[in-house]
Amino acid sequence: QVQLVESGGGLVQPGGSLRLSCTASGRSISSNAMGWFRQAPGKEREFVAAINWNGGDTHYADSVKGRFTISRDNAKNTVYLQMSSLKPEDTAVYYCAVDYALGYLSERARQYDVWGQGTQVTVSS
């Protein structure tokens, strides 16, 4: 079974940038779609971005379009989330997940099969 570990979170000022990484072990994710989600205290987990198996298709939540970029390096078994122009509203725990199903990229958390433990992102001055 695959294990996912997120890294790269931390404290950043509004307007700053941060890059998150999600590294898989135990199994290749090169054939699978991947997603990023986030969850703030007291709020529901929400979709951020998704990418198909070869990076040819991406999908973003409206709240992050133009600011975040999802990418992957299948040779490294890793997916990235480059975050720019960060806002306090972006503060949350960020999770990556793998979707073993075939088809369109999904915004639904329940579509994804394996999750990482998350990494905290705090945007504050």
Side-chain angles (χ1 to χ4, degrees):
Q1 173 69 307
V2 70
Q3 290 183 285
L4 304 177
V5 178
E6 302 93 338
S7 62
L11 176 64
V12 63
Q13 293 184 335
S17 299
L18 206 61
R19 188 179 78 158
L20 306 183
S21 298
C22 172
T23 298
S25 62
R27 179 177 172 177
S28 175
I29 58 169
S30 62
S31 298
N32 307 116
M34 300 289 294
W36 284 97
F37 291 75
R38 66 188 183 186
Q39 187 168 23
K43 297 184 178 180
E44 297 294 322
R45 187 168 299 187
E46 67 173 349
F47 172 78
V48 176
I51 188 168
N52 80 326
W53 71 276
N54 67 359
D57 288 318
T58 58
H59 180 58
Y60 298 91
D62 289 342
S63 59
V64 306
K65 284 182 179 177
R67 300 189 299 120
F68 290 12
T69 301
I70 187 171
S71 62
R72 67 192 302 160
D73 185 342
N74 283 341
K76 297 181 178 180
N77 221 25
T78 299
V79 178
Y80 304 97
L81 185 68
Q82 178 66 50
M83 305 183 294
S84 300
S85 301
L86 283 163
K87 305 174 181 179
E89 307 95 277
D90 296 317
T91 296
V93 176
Y94 283 71
Y95 300 89
C96 69
V98 59
D99 178 10
Y100 289 136
L102 301 177
Y104 296 111
L105 299 176
S106 179
E107 298 184 1
R108 298 161 57 216
R110 59 186 175 273
Q111 180 67 38
Y112 292 80
D113 299 289
V114 181
W115 295 78
Q117 66 182 21
T119 186
Q120 176 72 48
V121 173
T122 302
V123 184
S124 176
S125 60

